[in-house]
Amino acid sequence: MARSGIPIIAIGASAGGVEALENMFRAMPDKIGAAIIIVTHLSRHHKSMLPEILARWTSLPVVTAEDGAAIKADTIYTLVSNTILTTFDHRLKVKPRESEKNPIDILLASIAEQIGADAVAVILSGTGSDGAIGVKAIREAGGFTLAQGDDSTAPSYHDMPDSAIATGFVDCIAAVQDMPGLILKYLQSTSRPKLQNVAKPTLQSIKVAVQAVLLNRSGHDFSQYKEKTFLRRIERRMAVHQLEDPEQYVALLRGNSDEAMALFRDLLINVTAFFRDASAFDVVNEMAIGRLFEERGGADAIRVWVPGCATGEEAYSLAMLLLERRGTDIGRKLQIFASDLDEHALAVARLGRYPKQL
């Protein structure tokens, strides 16, 4: 989880977001060591006044995103109306908005792909569910996710933060004025090694203790889980709680069932995407799907099961291949069954909404 470049804090907001941004940036330190990108929902022909508004609350430079601009730390970037903003190679990528409906999801997915664990996602007040899929992408990549919660600065519109929280991929539900401190501590925590310098006997003891808690809380045995990934997931959860001592984390796990299930979900996360391994899908299409159609009559249903479907991209990829192979034979019945241990991941799969890949 060491820093690989400039961390990016991506903030998504919509209706009611200006008040949330005000309270957040009034608490933002002058130096945070990360770039900040803000995407709000703007009508296609509305000129955003956000740079001028933000300048009232922060001494950090606020600039309008320009295509190809290098991303700099301790700088705030805002979206131009009627555009879509992503990142590539530590630069901003700005393109005209066409039919895209979820600019926050698109930005978050882009950042997750580019910088992984260096990404922080913040979902503030707004209507709709934009940001929920993007939060999932950031969490899959090992980043840190926050959503505005109920308190003295409760979101004026709950839809966006509630949708993000419902996915199970939000690390912290917090007051907006507390978010800068939480983010800064997280970034500082992830820059320091936690487990790599722990003596092997102690590390083995930590692993066994964590696995015992997970077995007790979730009913699932992680003793055969890949060790490096297992330890990385523990480090990420320690960073979320700003813990330096793994023994403290074990104590937290034993006393907090919610944290045990949060680690359980982190361990279940598998990075997935549509047609992620293109060559494998080519083989499946030619050798398996073709045979399914050849060996069954027109009246026979074709059924496919996807175990460990995570958030559903693989199942939908197979559905596309099956539909293409079926062609105009709409009488041929197709069924795809998809299952996973993680109920939160299944909720995303059932929704079937994903950010457009640019």
Side-chain angles (χ1 to χ4, degrees), residues 217 250-257:
R217 297 288 190 182
V250 172
L252 174 64
L253 271 182
R254 286 172 172 159
N256 188 324
S257 59

Side-chain angles (χ1 to χ4, degrees), residues 282-294:
D282 287 341
V283 172
V284 168
N285 192 31
E286 293 303 318
M287 298 186 65
I289 291 179
R291 286 182 61 185
L292 285 174
F293 279 85
E294 290 170 4

